[in-house]
Amino acid sequence: MCGIVGYIGKRPAVPIIVNGIAKLDYRGYDSAGFAISENNRFVSFKTKGKLENLRKRIHGLSFSGTRGIAHTRWATHGKPSEKNAHPHFSHKKDIVVVHNGIIENHTALRKYLESKGHHFSSETDTETIPHLIGMFYQGNLENAVVAALKDLQGTYGLAIMAEKENKIVVARKGSPIIIGIIRTGEYIVASDVTAIGEYTKKIVYLSDGDIAVLTPKGYQIFNLEKKEVNRKIENITWSLDAIEKKGFAHFMLKEIYEQPETLANALRGKWDARRMMPKFGGLNIPEYDINNLQRVIILACGTSWHAGLVAEYYLEKFAGFQVEVEYASEFLCKMDDLGSRDLVIPISQSGETIDTLMALRKANKFGVYSLGIVNSVGSTIAREVTGGSYIHVGLEIGVASTKAFTGQIMALYLLAIYLGRVRGILKGAQADILFKKARALPGLVTEIFKNERTIISIARKFKRAANFIYLGRGLNYPTALEGALKLKEISYIHAEAFPAAEMKHGPIALVDRKMPVVFTVQKDDGYEKILSNIEEIRARKGIIIAVVEKGDSLVRKKADYIIEVPGTSMFLSPMLNIVPLQLLAYHIARLRGCEIDKPRNLAKSVTVE
Ligand code: AGP
């Protein structure tokens, strides 16, 4: 989604800010632009499409300005176009703004500003911001920003410059902004830590309501009441290796192949042999309160929501909770009344998904405990929960989430075992078995990679399919949902997933000799039933592709194509069964020539509601 980078210091700003937004391009965008101050005059360039277009536009030009802001835009209000790309200017062109988020009262503001004679050059909600700041501007940018922010409704991460003042002002509400300290007097600001890592490891996360002024003399953070606030300087710990493909054709493939390592990391040092339970450092819930809890409400979107559906089984079975898995956006529409017996678990790779953040904020108003299962360290969700656990799978660049999905499931598996032990539902020996079985998982995932050739040959056969159906039962229904999501995200093939038995209540009408149907078959209580479901598809001449446990001769006889995975417990099976489905989606998309790491219309972190 949209990305912001700004720089103020001694060096020419353009290479730094353009390089910075290039680091954010994995988030998805449709236009890009920047503005710098060149001898106290603004110079700005904007282009539609890839950053390459912007680079070509400025090729051969030289810029010496040491202060600038840049942006990649993912269209919300107004189509992707040069005029809608950021930065946007005030009426007198003396204030310039880049913005992430949505200004909800932009229609009323625009009407008001136009009545005062302001002329707008774009269809965006953002353009109201520089116009409003310009209206309040009397030579001090931060004063004008504070005045303008009081009139804005909605969400924003902002970087702002005034032509005649050597400073950058940034502000945040609901959309992240961080300050990177290169050295005193040299700062980089961004909406995502990825843009900053090359220049500094020292960062300051702004909180909602913060406004910061950066000048070549230093920086200061204050709030809307103009009271100074202190935010601590933190160190980035991840290495820049994460943003290299390391010989893989795409980040997605690299991230699929990282799963044995990320799963092993999730388990390392996690077992408390004395108490026979997983260790959790940051849950921040006293054990007596854990015993009092009755209901868990999981809040998430997309892939993270699928991980939540798997966790529902863990939390019910291991820890005896009543569990509700909510789409975060739908939770916002409900009239829930949460109480002291409820525990909220937001799941988010990015930690910035606005639907999940808003749902968490709604839940937090009830004073409940909230445990975040988050990947991105220091992200907004991670900072607004009462406790939680990072999944530590490292930076995920591919827009289609892979290693974060298995990492989330593993973190939730361990969490459910921990809660089950504290609540006296699991015995020490049972927890020990569950943990030992998980330890085998990284090795089992590695075995699946040996089947990649089989998966590629299936991908070749179906690369031109128009539709796919994915079916699974129980814990592997979420696996089917996730497999279908992966395929549609990166190959643009229409794919739907259903609980295997539900298929005969409608979707079976779609099945004919051209319909590939992907089954994930687990040898659990539902095995016999899923065999019948396979027969039902066969009878309609559908093409059966089955992910099965090694040596499953019954399904082999019925299916057209087989992908074998090693046997594991029913509980761990989603983390294994999803791997061939990730690879199948990847290879189909590759063979179709799709842009795998940055699929059309998608963004890595969805920061608009
Ligand atoms: C996954 O492949 C998707 N790109 C998407 O569904 C994603 O999982 C969803 O937007 C939630 O993101 P989050 O985990 O960062 O909150």
Side-chain angles (χ1 to χ4, degrees), residues 267-545:
L267 293 161
R268 192 162 298 124
K270 269 279 188 218
W271 187 243
D272 181 340
R274 191 181 59 81
R275 297 189 71 200
M276 300 284 269
M277 62 202 281
K279 276 189 216 165
F280 276 97
L283 297 191
N284 303 332
I285 314 184
E287 291 192 359
Y288 53 82
D289 276 351
I290 291 178
N291 280 310
N292 181 45
L293 293 169
Q294 193 175 34
R295 181 170 68 147
V296 171
I297 297 154
I298 293 178
L299 305 172
C301 310
T303 289
S304 300
W305 185 76
H306 298 156
L309 291 178
V310 176
E312 179 177 7
Y313 286 82
Y314 301 158
L315 290 158
E316 283 176 2
K317 187 86 182 159
F318 302 162
F321 286 110
Q322 175 200 333
V323 185
E324 287 167 25
V325 188
E326 299 274 9
Y327 282 117
S329 54
E330 290 297 303
F331 178 74
L332 287 167
C333 307
K334 292 191 172 169
M335 300 300 290
D336 288 74
D337 201 5
L338 307 188
S340 62
R341 305 199 73 185
D342 293 325
L343 168 67
V344 168
I345 303 187
I347 309 172
S348 176
Q349 186 285 126
S350 61
E352 302 294 351
T353 301
I354 198 86
D355 290 329
T356 311
L357 177 62
M358 291 304 172
L360 168 66
R361 285 183 180 163
K362 174 179 166 179
N364 279 347
K365 286 198 183 128
F366 294 94
V368 293
Y369 284 114
S370 51
L371 295 185
I373 301 296
V374 174
N375 188 33
S376 199
V377 177
S379 56
T380 311
I381 291 173
R383 286 181 300 125
E384 296 198 13
V385 285
T386 53
S389 176
Y390 285 117
I391 62 170
H392 290 301
V393 300
L395 197 64
E396 192 181 61
I397 301 268
V399 164
S401 190
T402 53
K403 62 177 178 174
F405 178 65
T406 47
Q408 289 165 337
I409 297 178
M410 185 57 94
L412 288 155
Y413 179 80
L414 297 177
L415 177 67
I417 300 172
Y418 170 86
L419 295 171
R421 285 289 292 133
V422 173
R423 288 158 70 84
I425 290 166
L426 281 183
K427 296 205 170 29
Q430 290 172 304
D432 190 44
I433 292 171
L434 290 170
F435 191 78
K436 282 196 176 120
K437 285 196 170 151
R439 271 204 178 128
L441 213 60
L444 302 182
V445 174
T446 308
E447 275 188 48
I448 295 174
F449 297 144
K450 293 182 192 152
N451 289 339
E452 196 172 355
R453 274 168 181 264
T454 311
I455 297 169
I456 293 172
S457 67
I458 298 173
R460 280 206 185 97
K461 290 245 155 44
F462 296 100
K463 65 179 186 209
R464 285 192 231 291
N467 300 288
F468 261 80
I469 291 179
Y470 285 70
L471 300 174
R473 292 180 79 99
L475 276 144
N476 281 293
Y477 165 52
T479 315
L481 283 168
E482 177 61 8
L485 180 66
K486 289 290 87 81
L487 186 71
K488 58 190 149 194
E489 279 188 300
I490 59 169
S491 75
Y492 316 138
I493 294 176
H494 173 242
E496 295 297 332
F498 305 96
E502 193 57 27
M503 164 271 302
K504 58 189 178 296
H505 297 286
I508 198 164
L510 300 169
V511 176
D512 61 14
R513 59 179 75 246
K514 283 196 197 135
M515 179 66 87
V517 182
V518 181
F519 278 89
T520 37
V521 185
Q522 192 62 26
K523 281 202 166 163
D524 56 17
D525 301 348
Y527 182 66
E528 297 296 335
K529 292 201 170 71
I530 211 161
L531 288 179
S532 308
N533 300 145
I534 292 177
E535 288 292 2
E536 287 149 15
I537 297 294
R538 244 160 73 96
R540 271 99 195 154
K541 304 206 164 35
I543 309 155
I544 295 158
I545 304 167

Side-chain angles (χ1 to χ4, degrees), residues 224-256:
L224 277 173
E225 279 70 53
K226 298 272 323 247
K227 290 220 173 78
E228 191 163 353
V229 290
N230 275 321
R231 301 281 170 233
K232 69 172 191 263
I233 300 172
E234 299 183 31
N235 277 306
I236 307 174
T237 48
W238 51 265
S239 103
L240 285 172
D241 286 4
I243 45 182
E244 302 297 328
K245 287 195 197 127
K246 300 238 182 98
F248 286 92
H250 297 94
F251 281 109
M252 183 183 176
L253 189 62
K254 172 182 161 245
E255 287 158 6
I256 292 172

Side-chain angles (χ1 to χ4, degrees), residues 40-83:
N40 272 342
R41 299 292 306 268
F42 282 146
V43 175
S44 176
F45 289 88
K46 312 201 263 192
T47 48
K48 187 182 162 198
K50 294 288 165 211
L51 207 51
E52 226 16 68
N53 301 343
L54 184 65
R55 285 209 163 106
K56 276 190 198 140
R57 179 78 60 86
I58 60 171
H59 182 71
L61 302 175
S62 74
F63 305 99
S64 57
T66 56
R67 173 169 68 108
I69 53 179
H71 190 262
T72 45
R73 174 175 187 256
W74 186 85
T76 59
H77 295 63
K79 59 184 178 300
S81 69
E82 196 167 310
K83 79 174 164 45

Side-chain angles (χ1 to χ4, degrees), residues 136-269:
F136 289 113
Y137 187 61
Q138 290 180 337
N140 179 294
L141 182 59
E142 55 272 33
N143 286 348
V145 169
V146 169
L149 293 185
K150 289 184 176 157
D151 287 338
L152 296 182
Q153 285 162 21
T155 53
Y156 51 77
L158 289 167
I160 310 150
M161 299 195 297
E163 199 166 46
K164 303 280 182 259
E165 292 183 80
N166 192 13
K167 57 176 75 154
I168 295 178
V169 173
V170 290
R172 82 157 271 175
K173 186 184 156 208
S175 197
I177 288 285
I178 54 180
I179 301 172
I181 302 163
I182 302 174
R183 58 184 67 83
T184 305
E186 195 179 18
Y187 306 102
I188 182 161
V189 293
S191 52
D192 184 323
V193 75
T194 334
I196 278 182
E198 193 178 329
Y199 300 98
T200 179
K201 295 268 180 259
K202 282 195 205 159
I203 52 169
V204 176
Y205 292 96
L206 294 193
S207 294
D208 271 0
D210 286 355
I211 299 151
V213 183
L214 303 108
T215 72
K217 291 193 177 134
Y219 73 94
Q220 196 195 12
I221 308 173
F222 51 91
N223 60 23
L224 277 173
E225 279 70 53
K226 298 272 323 247
K227 290 220 173 78
E228 191 163 353
V229 290
N230 275 321
R231 301 281 170 233
K232 69 172 191 263
I233 300 172
E234 299 183 31
N235 277 306
I236 307 174
T237 48
W238 51 265
S239 103
L240 285 172
D241 286 4
I243 45 182
E244 302 297 328
K245 287 195 197 127
K246 300 238 182 98
F248 286 92
H250 297 94
F251 281 109
M252 183 183 176
L253 189 62
K254 172 182 161 245
E255 287 158 6
I256 292 172
Y257 267 83
E258 279 172 353
Q259 291 176 106
E261 189 189 331
T262 52
L263 288 169
N265 288 345
L267 293 161
R268 192 162 298 124

